[in-house]
Amino acid sequence: MRTLIRNGRVVTAVDDYKADVLIEGEKVSVIGAKLDVEADRVIEAGGKLVIPGGIDPHTHMELPFGGTESSDDFRTGTIAAAHGGTTSIIDFAVQYKGQALVEGVDNWHRKAEGKCVIDYGFHLITTEFEDGQTEELYTLMDEGVTSFKLFMAYPGVFLADDATIFRAMSAAGARGGLICMHAENGIVINEIIKRALAEGRTAPKYHALTRPTIAEAEGVHRAIALSEMAESPVYIVHLSCADALNQVREARDRGLPAFAETCPQYLFLSIEDYGEGFEGAKYVMTPPLREKWNQEELWKGLKTDDLQVISTDHCPFCMKEQKELGRGDFSKIPNGAPGVEHRMSLIYDGGVAQGRISLNRFVELTSTAAAKMFGLFPRKGTIAVGSDADIVVFDPDGEQTISAATHHMNVDYSAYEGRKVKGVVETVLSRGSVVVENGEFKGKAGAGQFLKRGTCVSM
Ligand code: URP
Ligand code: ZN
Ligand code: ZN
């Protein structure tokens, strides 16, 4: 099968030119001006951007959490991702306490098998790690799971103590593996939550008020200090505020391999969205939404490369029956929010259209940097001869209004309901096959392949 994308403006993290792109089978085979070739399918891209498919390295499909399970499975979640121009996700498998590391990964393989419409990889949430498990960790790395998430939050569920974090960092780092840190002082936060509940403060907004920015900044500081002692890199996930960003910036200025991602919710939403009533449960995620002034600081960090990646931390729970578990007690609201579908358009609109970042930086933040960070580059994250034909034809002038009535995520609300954004995903190819055409789904469950990832090439 030969597909020709004609007359588009090809934009990668470093290039920007008018060209035709020929795809043969699953790969890009020729890029050139006015290609005179036969093709089975021609996609007309005049006036459109032709960009690498998005990579979202932080999703939680079918995650058992907070007494329920995130509402997108690997089929609905990847369909929604594809509609939004994301062609690869990296989801978080979980090693629960008492399980072998490999058990967690095997369980996630079973969940995802036959369901994904785009390619997918796994990190492993590691809740227990002893030195004796180092070989097991390396076996997983050889099988393409090269990054591990450890938590300083959620005591009794995912929290790992500093010794465990240090051991995991030392072992992973010695082989080029990457530790992803949920950096928040969950032990102290739990004490603050107990006080709030004892004082009758039960509404969703108290989720935010009991998780101060300093609790995140302390976690980031500690994570970086542990990684420095372990002589290994660290990647801070879902960084939400200026206080935490300052810790990463200070470490990077000292030349340490400290990296971080932020998410659209921290760039576009704020603590004001919680309001007073239970509707605020829509925004109960961890870390919580912050005061609005943090948003411009995060945009600055994205511009100066103190933040390298934009992921979504997609972890949807319906208001009905799921978020409702926390009516009358905010600490029982399942933590997480939907987002996998609108990352590309939100960042194009808020970043490029509003003059905060360049088009090249947009591609880098939504695709290339994640590919390099998580061992997928240059197979993914760029448009180049030999790379996978994961390509988005993007209309920079199109407009859309985000709404739960039209989105594809399996969740009964949108965190961005009614928001008008410039930039519309038109056509999406995953390894050469059209999965979305003019907004219509054309893909197939099971067509997505497991991504056996290499190690980070960002250092
Ligand atoms: O609230 C969130 N972020 N839920 C998902 C789990 C996590 O901490 O990433
Ligand atoms: Zn987390
Ligand atoms: Zn997460």
Side-chain angles (χ1 to χ4, degrees):
M1 174 83 178
R2 286 155 69 94
T3 303
L4 182 66
I5 304 177
R6 208 159 52 183
N7 290 324
R9 179 176 167 193
V10 177
V11 182
T12 68
V14 289
D15 299 310
D16 187 342
Y17 53 92
K18 270 193 98 171
D20 298 344
V21 178
L22 182 69
I23 297 160
E24 291 185 83
E26 299 189 345
K27 304 275 183 193
V28 172
S29 62
V30 185
I31 304 173
K34 298 187 179 12
L35 292 181
D36 185 14
V37 290
E38 294 283 305
D40 305 295
R41 181 198 283 255
V42 176
I43 297 170
E44 196 51 59
K48 309 285 157 62
L49 306 179
V50 176
I51 57 176
I55 300 174
D56 187 344
H58 191 150
T59 67
H60 302 280
M61 308 300 176
E62 302 181 39
L63 174 71
F65 196 43
T68 180
E69 185 169 291
S70 58
S71 58
D72 265 317
D73 66 13
F74 278 91
R75 188 186 67 82
T76 60
T78 56
I79 289 174
H83 275 280
T86 288
T87 51
S88 301
I89 59 164
I90 311 179
D91 202 83
F92 288 85
V94 184
Q95 171 228 21
Y96 291 101
K97 290 192 194 297
Q99 284 185 338
L101 299 174
V102 68
E103 249 179 291
V105 173
D106 286 350
N107 285 339
W108 252 252
H109 273 299
R110 275 191 289 274
K111 279 182 201 256
E113 186 73 51
K115 288 193 194 153
C116 294
V117 307
I118 54 169
D119 291 349
Y120 62 100
F122 300 138
H123 315 274
L124 180 66
I125 290 177
T126 308
T127 56
E128 290 178 327
F129 182 78
E130 298 294 337
D131 287 338
Q133 289 170 287
T134 300
E135 282 312 311
E136 199 192 337
L137 186 123
Y138 293 162
T139 302
L140 286 183
M141 288 184 62
D142 292 341
E143 289 170 3
V145 178
T146 52
S147 42
F148 305 86
K149 181 177 178 187
L150 281 89
F151 285 77
M152 292 172 162
Y154 310 131
V157 185
F158 291 145
L159 184 139
D161 62 20
D162 288 357
T164 304
I165 294 168
F166 178 74
R167 284 192 293 268
M169 281 177 169
S170 306
R175 266 279 193 104
L178 189 58
I179 298 299
C180 304
M181 281 301 313
H182 180 129
E184 266 192 321
N185 191 322
I187 305 254
V188 172
I189 285 169
N190 254 20
E191 295 303 308
I192 304 174
I193 290 173
K194 275 191 226 157
R195 281 188 199 167
L197 291 175
E199 289 163 4
R201 300 177 208 278
T202 59
K205 71 173 182 184
Y206 291 105
H207 172 74
L209 295 172
T210 53
R211 304 185 95 91
T213 59
I214 192 169
E216 186 179 350
E218 188 278 329
V220 172
H221 181 88
R222 183 155 40 101
I224 292 170
L226 292 170
S227 79
E228 191 174 359
M229 289 185 274
E231 298 179 13
S232 67
V234 65
Y235 176 91
I236 308 294
V237 293
H238 47 46
L239 187 143
S240 73
C241 60
D243 282 352
L245 174 59
N246 289 339
Q247 299 296 326
V248 177
R249 184 181 292 120
E250 189 267 340
R252 291 180 63 78
D253 287 350
R254 287 199 289 125
L256 293 175
F259 305 99
E261 64 176 26
T262 190
C263 314
Q265 53 269 34
Y266 305 119
L267 297 167
F268 298 109
L269 304 174
S270 80
I271 194 161
E272 290 160 30
D273 287 295
Y274 291 103
E276 299 297 319
F278 192 71
E279 283 292 290
K282 291 175 180 167
Y283 307 101
V284 168
M285 62 189 79
T286 301
L289 300 177
R290 303 301 192 181
E291 286 177 16
K292 211 171 170 54
W293 63 267
N294 286 278
Q295 295 172 0
E296 283 314 316
E297 295 301 311
L298 296 179
W299 281 110
K300 260 189 240 164
L302 290 167
K303 206 167 169 174
T304 57
D305 204 39
D306 288 313
L307 294 167
Q308 294 76 38
V309 172
I310 301 177
S311 70
T312 62
D313 192 10
H314 175 75
C315 190
F317 297 102
C318 291
M319 282 295 277
K320 194 165 179 284
E321 289 174 12
Q322 295 195 296
K323 292 284 185 181
E324 274 175 358
L325 293 169
R327 227 180 242 287
D329 179 349
F330 69 87
S331 71
K332 295 199 166 62
I333 299 171
N335 285 197
V340 76
E341 188 164 346
H342 297 111
R343 181 182 63 128
M344 305 285 279
S345 291
L346 281 166
I347 300 303
Y348 179 82
D349 180 57
V352 182
Q354 304 213 15
R356 289 184 174 109
I357 54 171
S358 70
L359 207 42
N360 296 115
R361 184 67 177 150
F362 162 69
V363 170
E364 190 167 28
L365 289 166
T366 55
S367 180
T368 319
K372 290 183 177 174
M373 193 70 65
F374 295 109
L376 293 170
F377 190 82
R379 177 179 166 197
K380 307 283 190 190
T382 193
I383 298 176
V385 172
S387 63
D388 280 359
D390 290 359
I391 295 179
V392 174
V393 179
F394 190 87
D395 180 359
D397 302 315
E399 288 186 350
Q400 60 176 313
T401 302
I402 297 176
S403 172
T406 49
H407 74 200
H408 301 84
M409 298 176 287
N410 183 38
V411 61
D412 60 5
Y413 75 94
S414 169
Y416 304 96
E417 187 66 40
R419 181 181 284 260
K420 286 193 176 56
V421 290
K422 200 165 176 208
V424 172
V425 169
E426 220 176 69
T427 301
V428 181
L429 293 97
S430 166
R431 275 182 290 101
S433 295
V434 172
V435 288
V436 172
E437 190 176 28
N438 294 320
E440 247 185 74
F441 181 63
K442 302 281 179 185
K444 202 169 98 229
Q449 289 179 359
F450 174 68
L451 292 166
K452 199 171 158 186
R453 296 181 292 116
T455 52
C456 174
V457 295
S458 294
M459 278 164 275

